[in-house]
Amino acid sequence: MNAPLDRGATVVAAAALHADDVDRRGRFPAEAVQALKDARLMSLLIPTELGGAGAPLADVAELCTTLGHHCASTAMVFAMHQIKVSSLVAHGMESEWHRGFMRRVADAQLLLASATTEGGVGGNLRNSICAFERDGDMFRVSKEGALISYGAQADAILVTARRAADAPPSDQRMAVLARGQYRLERSGEWDALGMRGTCSEGFTLSGEAPHEQILASEFADIASHSMLATAHLLWSSVWFGIASDALGRAQAFVRKDARKRFDGPSPGALRLAEASTKLQLMRANIVEGLRRFERANSEPDDLNSMSFAVTMNNVKVGSSELALEIINHALLIAGIAGYKNGTPYSVGRHMRDALSARVMISNDRILGNMSTLLLAQRIDARLGD
Amino acid sequence: MLATIRRLVEEQGRLSAAADTLRDDADLYASGLTSFAAVQLMLALEEAFDVEFPERMLNRRSFASIAAIASCIAELKPEEVA
């Protein structure tokens, strides 16, 4: 029995019920997120000693996939929240303030958002222009042009900035700002092709808080140890949910068609077989990535290695490309019934939502970074570990 | 060896401080070393010392300071220490 997934049943129902409205109006999936809070799923990754469920990342990934079947925006909001929680768990356990904050996240089922980008850094989250400006026991920070998904709905925001006013752009730290400690000024709207419910609007964020709310670890370590890895794994799990639902619809179409025909399977049946190969590749890529992540967590050297970074980047690039290929096949199989909205075989929303996959940290940027890493990292020619 | 490493850090590291003002154990990442620059630095070190960094050394720690780099080189090429 899988307890978190059982608790997810009401969430799934809420996500499915409002998915079309969330998409059409480009609104936050408030009902499904409330259901996630009611089911106490926001604190899945938080250790039990701090009031969470102490679940492995694979449980969160499974829930991302299940939500992705019904409402990709809800699934992505849930994924992005858990990515922030994973950074707190990985880097905040030594700090009294952050332990207390994790307890608050579990008690009040707080929704965490992320402000890691900034106008003027060209989408490179490993560079900051703004800085944590220390003033006694407090710091101040002001970040312009930050794209903050569900920023207006979040209960707290994890924000990156340069360590201090005189630190170089790549010497970053990350701080927690709870609601009440920051102000948001909307600078851009979110009227997008897909993932319309994530409400990833542009904001100017300014805030101040006690210095102890800044995590001690360098952001470079937070990014490579927890954030990028969990982001690539959980995003991919969401996309797997979208792609597998699209293919399930295409299969239903082929089966319905096959019952009416007596001259063998329809031409679409071949595409279904082809797409099932791609779906299996996608699944294997993600599952292997999750295993590698769990293994690396008990071996700090592995977590730090280029090989780990290359593997996680490959999970993201591979699954984002495969998701689109699979949904494209589903569309070919179901034809006009798939192209139209409002049929049991519609995959239009799936396609629009999944198109975000290649641009959420652009695959071209990731491939560029990987090509640098591959000047050092050797190609792994083994099948085993 | 330290002088060569320091020169390569200056040339490849794109740091905010001049390399000859850094102590051997100063944190290069705090001076702005990016992972991209670290790879460029590694390639320059391989060329200069005629070594190859094995997979186990391909992590952030190996390039964290001039001293850390020196201990990698010393391990790969013991004769350089002499």
Side-chain angles (χ1 to χ4, degrees):
Chain A
M1 189 184 97
N2 192 325
L5 299 185
D6 290 345
R7 280 189 279 153
T10 55
V11 184
V12 167
L17 183 62
H18 301 284
D20 280 328
D21 187 56
V22 163
D23 176 57
R24 203 174 302 119
R25 293 170 49 208
R27 68 160 177 93
F28 183 68
E31 301 86 350
V33 170
Q34 187 57 49
L36 282 164
K37 292 182 171 192
D38 292 344
R40 301 193 56 77
L41 292 166
M42 307 307 272
S43 51
L44 271 183
L45 291 174
I46 293 177
T48 49
E49 62 184 281
L50 298 176
L57 193 70
D59 279 8
V60 174
E62 187 81 70
L63 200 47
C64 286
T65 295
T66 307
L67 289 170
H69 294 156
H70 304 281
C71 176
S73 290
T74 301
M76 191 50 80
V77 169
F78 180 67
M80 290 192 281
H81 162 81
Q82 298 295 350
I83 293 159
K84 295 295 105 184
V85 174
S86 78
S87 292
L88 283 174
V89 173
H91 298 275
M93 289 300 281
E94 311 293 315
S95 141
E96 207 42 53
W97 190 89
H98 293 96
R99 289 173 68 89
F101 181 72
M102 282 185 261
R103 214 182 280 280
R104 268 168 69 194
V105 172
D107 286 350
Q109 293 293 296
L110 302 181
L111 174 64
L112 310 185
S114 174
T116 49
T117 61
E118 188 172 3
V121 296
N124 181 1
L125 59 88
R126 286 298 324 285
N127 269 321
S128 285
I129 296 169
C130 67
F132 292 121
E133 303 195 25
R134 195 160 183 167
D135 183 3
D137 291 338
M138 305 288 284
F139 69 86
R140 257 193 307 277
V141 64
S142 176
K143 193 168 216 177
E144 287 181 28
L147 193 106
I148 310 178
S149 292
Y150 55 91
Q153 290 82 15
D155 301 307
I157 298 180
L158 275 68
V159 53
T160 52
R162 288 181 293 123
R163 176 176 47 79
D166 59 352
S170 63
D171 185 13
Q172 301 161 290
R173 294 292 186 276
M174 181 182 246
V176 177
L177 287 173
R179 193 188 280 169
Q181 294 181 316
Y182 59 83
R183 293 165 300 285
L184 291 176
E185 201 180 311
R186 196 175 275 109
S187 57
E189 58 180 310
W190 180 248
D191 178 7
L193 181 62
M195 289 291 180
R196 293 173 54 78
T198 59
C199 302
S200 306
E201 298 166 317
F203 293 98
T204 291
L205 176 148
S206 49
E208 52 185 76
H211 210 259
E212 59 184 351
Q213 292 182 213
I214 300 176
L215 286 158
S217 306
E218 294 172 37
F219 177 64
D221 287 336
I222 298 177
S224 64
H225 294 178
S226 65
M227 202 177 118
L228 288 181
T230 51
H232 292 341
L233 292 167
L234 296 183
W235 292 350
S236 295
S237 305
V238 173
W239 304 329
F240 182 74
I242 303 172
S244 55
D245 187 66
L247 200 59
R249 287 169 181 239
Q251 183 184 37
F253 183 88
V254 169
R255 285 167 50 82
K256 181 164 168 279
D257 192 53
R259 286 198 290 270
K260 286 189 286 186
R261 278 176 184 261
F262 300 99
D263 55 350
S266 68
L270 202 69
R271 290 267 180 229
L272 178 64
E274 208 178 8
S276 83
T277 306
K278 293 177 189 290
L279 194 74
Q280 184 173 323
L281 279 176
M282 190 179 175
R283 184 176 188 277
N285 190 25
I286 300 168
V287 171
E288 169 60 17
L290 285 164
R291 287 203 189 111
R292 176 73 188 270
F293 179 77
E294 290 300 338
R295 241 194 352 262
N297 262 299
S298 50
E299 282 175 47
D301 273 354
D302 192 27
L303 215 47
N304 248 316
S305 68
M306 285 190 189
S307 135
F308 179 73
V310 168
T311 301
M312 293 303 136
N313 284 332
N314 275 329
V315 168
K316 193 272 173 178
V317 173
S319 49
S320 60
E321 298 291 345
L322 280 168
L324 285 177
E325 291 176 24
I326 293 161
I327 299 165
N328 194 44
H329 267 51
L331 183 60
L332 288 174
I333 294 165
I336 292 294
Y339 190 72
K340 272 174 63 177
N341 292 323
T343 84
Y345 315 109
S346 305
V347 291
R349 173 153 57 85
H350 299 70
M351 182 60 103
R352 288 186 291 103
D353 286 337
L355 277 168
S356 66
R358 286 192 296 197
V359 295
M360 280 180 73
I361 307 188
S362 145
N363 279 0
D364 286 351
R365 178 190 301 279
I366 295 178
L367 289 171
N369 290 343
M370 279 172 67
S371 61
T372 303
L373 292 177
L374 287 170
L375 291 172
Q377 175 61 35
R378 312 302 190 272
I379 295 294
D380 191 349
R382 303 158 309 161
L383 207 47
D385 294 329
Chain B
M1 177 171 68
L2 284 171
T4 309
I5 295 172
R6 196 174 293 278
R7 176 173 60 79
L8 296 174
V9 166
E10 176 67 35
E11 288 171 6
Q12 306 292 337
R14 285 177 254 169
L15 304 183
S16 55
D20 51 10
T21 64
L22 292 172
R23 292 198 345 235
D24 288 351
D25 61 351
D27 182 351
L28 298 179
Y29 295 108
S31 298
L33 184 69
T34 64
S35 47
F36 181 82
V39 171
Q40 300 299 330
L41 174 59
M42 184 210 73
L43 293 172
L45 290 162
E46 289 192 339
E47 185 68 20
F49 291 101
D50 190 26
V51 294
E52 264 198 32
F53 278 76
E55 196 147 350
R56 67 188 156 77
M57 287 187 183
L58 300 180
N59 58 50
R60 229 175 125 72
R61 249 199 341 264
S62 300
F63 304 94
S65 65
I66 289 170
I69 295 170
S71 76
C72 288
I73 301 287
E75 192 182 328
L76 294 174
K77 214 173 180 185
E79 64 271 26
E80 279 289 332
V81 185

